[in-house]
Amino acid sequence: TASNDGMAKVWSVEEGAQKQAFAHEGAVNSAVFSGDNEVVLTASDDKTAKLWRLQDGCCVQSFTGHESEVNAATLSVNKAMVLTGGYDGCAKLWRAEGGTWSCEQTFEGRGELKVVAISPDSALAMTANECGEACLWGSGDGVRRWLLPHGQGALYAASFLADGALVLTAGGAPQRETAKLWSV
């Protein structure tokens, strides 16, 4: 769970007991597990995202460089890329090379970013904002490939489906929320 108290917590499903706790200096806006359940990636109002090892609760990487709160963060399938998205409309793509992480791309969008995603093949990075737009960016060159105009209101969900050939977005104005499926 992610919380306004600056903590992300991992719970045992069977016992309902807390197993791990990870601290930030601001509210934690998102927390996601890697596909192999070895690490958790958190995003926070303290302008950072952090990668935590589940085995011992150690922070193995802190991603700094955003000028405002980090609302969302995600990992690539192979855990070699991290995408973070901020309140200021900027997303940052981080890559691991030989154990060292560096920011390789900055995607500047419009409006507060609510959701970020990386395609299964890591070729595309997706940002979704409060303006109802999802953007797909080339992860290698940073060029915007597609703008998916969902409509009025913020997007609160966006993900790649199957092999990455489809994108699902969901959101909209209050009481007019919709989900859309896009072929990319």
Side-chain angles (χ1 to χ4, degrees):
T1 55
S3 177
N4 284 336
D5 67 0
M7 300 297 291
K9 297 177 182 176
V10 177
W11 301 87
S12 166
V13 175
E14 294 85 21
E15 303 159 9
Q18 180 182 313
K19 307 275 288 177
Q20 289 277 6
F22 311 115
H24 274 269
E25 293 180 18
V28 178
N29 299 314
S30 73
V32 295
F33 285 89
S34 61
D36 59 9
N37 292 325
E38 289 184 0
V39 295
V40 171
L41 180 64
T42 56
S44 173
D45 278 359
D46 66 10
K47 303 179 185 177
T48 70
K50 294 184 179 184
L51 191 61
W52 308 87
R53 192 170 43 232
L54 274 172
Q55 180 182 4
D56 58 9
C58 183
C59 178
V60 295
Q61 181 66 39
S62 186
F63 301 92
T64 60
H66 279 275
E67 294 181 15
S68 68
E69 298 90 338
V70 181
N71 291 334
T74 192
L75 281 159
S76 62
V77 173
N78 65 0
K79 298 185 293 190
M81 291 171 44
V82 164
L83 181 63
T84 56
Y87 183 82
D88 61 359
C90 287
K92 294 188 178 289
L93 183 67
W94 311 82
R95 288 188 202 269
E97 298 268 343
T100 302
W101 288 89
S102 61
C103 180
E104 293 210 346
Q105 300 287 345
T106 298
F107 310 117
E108 298 204 21
R110 182 172 84 93
E112 177 184 347
L113 295 181
K114 299 288 191 180
V115 183
V116 294
I118 299 172
S119 64
D121 65 0
S122 299
L124 295 172
M126 179 167 43
T127 59
N129 64 25
E130 68 179 349
C131 305
E133 300 170 338
C135 293
L136 276 66
W137 310 84
S139 61
D141 59 13
V143 173
R144 187 174 77 184
R145 302 280 197 268
W146 288 277
L147 172 64
L148 309 176
H150 187 92
Q152 291 183 329
L155 288 177
Y156 290 102
S159 63
F160 289 95
L161 300 179
D163 62 355
L166 298 173
V167 168
L168 178 67
T169 58
Q175 300 180 349
R176 303 184 88 199
E177 292 92 352
T178 58
K180 293 185 179 182
L181 190 61
W182 308 83
S183 176
V184 293

